[in-house]
Amino acid sequence: MTSAKKIRDRIEGADPGAVFVPSDFNDIADRSAVHNILSRLVKDGTLHHAARGVYAKPKHSDLLGGEIPPAIDDIAHAIARGNGWVIVPSGNHALNMLGLDEQVPARFSYVSSGPYKRYDIDGAEVSFSHRANRDILDKSYLTCLVVQALKALGKDGVDDKIIESLASRLTAEDAERLCTETRNATSWVFEAAKRVKEARVG
């Protein structure tokens, strides 16, 4: 089976709207060959360009009568994956991801193990801000997301309603892990984590 057929089969086996970067196919062919194959797949409509170096499998909506663009968060994670970064939503984006703020952000911000970068994707600003690796590499993704949401709210913004809302979105295991993984965090963040655990586990 040729490299082109292997790549096409992998893409066809993915869900509509799936997002890819060239490094997703490093196990099939070298970068130059992958680039050429992906370019051909764009030309024949198998893929669309979602951002520079990022490709998406088309997803059609009968309701909207057209193609649905991939989620900005999926594109951001694809960019990170292609660069070998670990990222976690921050600021209002983190609040939205956890259902603490229903307003869809116009600016999608992430803390990252990589350098500071900013992209304009379909009119939305996507920014990556570097953080020390210990802040995001020694904790679970969910713990990091909750910590970023707490920091976005600030100490005085974390009331009982927020605690209850977070507790309702975490499993008992998630809440236990959150408490364990924030022991060395800022004291008020750790106290908030304990409150979430108490609300979820008792």
Side-chain angles (χ1 to χ4, degrees), residues 3 6 19 27 58 68 106 112 120 125 129 132-134 142 145 147-148 156 170 183-184 190 196 201:
S3 296
K6 290 179 180 179
V19 178
D27 60 316
I68 301 175
S112 168
D120 183 6
E125 179 184 326
S129 299
N133 286 351
R134 65 177 179 276
L142 186 54
L145 182 60
V147 169
Q148 290 302 317
D156 295 336
L170 271 61
R183 289 187 182 279
N184 296 321
F190 179 50
V196 171
V201 182

Side-chain angles (χ1 to χ4, degrees), residues 2 9 43 55 87 117 127 130 144 155 175 178 192-193 200-201:
T2 66
D9 285 351
K43 289 179 180 179
Y55 305 83
I87 64 171
K117 292 286 185 180
S127 64
H130 178 75
C144 291
K155 180 179 179 180
L178 172 67
R200 183 66 182 83
V201 182

Side-chain angles (χ1 to χ4, degrees), residues 1-10 28-29 37 40-41:
M1 184 183 295
T2 66
S3 296
K5 182 66 165 61
K6 290 179 180 179
I7 290 175
R8 183 182 288 276
D9 285 351
R10 182 171 296 179
I28 296 177
I37 293 167
R40 292 199 299 270
L41 292 175

Side-chain angles (χ1 to χ4, degrees), residues 9 14 49 52 64 101 127 175 182 184:
D9 285 351
H49 274 298
R52 184 176 180 181
L64 298 177
D101 184 349
S127 64
T182 55
N184 296 321

Side-chain angles (χ1 to χ4, degrees), residues 134-135 139 147-148 150-151 154-155 178-179 181-194:
R134 65 177 179 276
D135 291 339
K139 303 176 181 65
V147 169
Q148 290 302 317
L150 292 172
K151 289 182 175 180
K155 180 179 179 180
L178 172 67
C179 202
E181 293 180 339
T182 55
R183 289 187 182 279
N184 296 321
T186 305
S187 59
W188 72 265
V189 170
F190 179 50
E191 290 302 317
K194 288 196 296 184

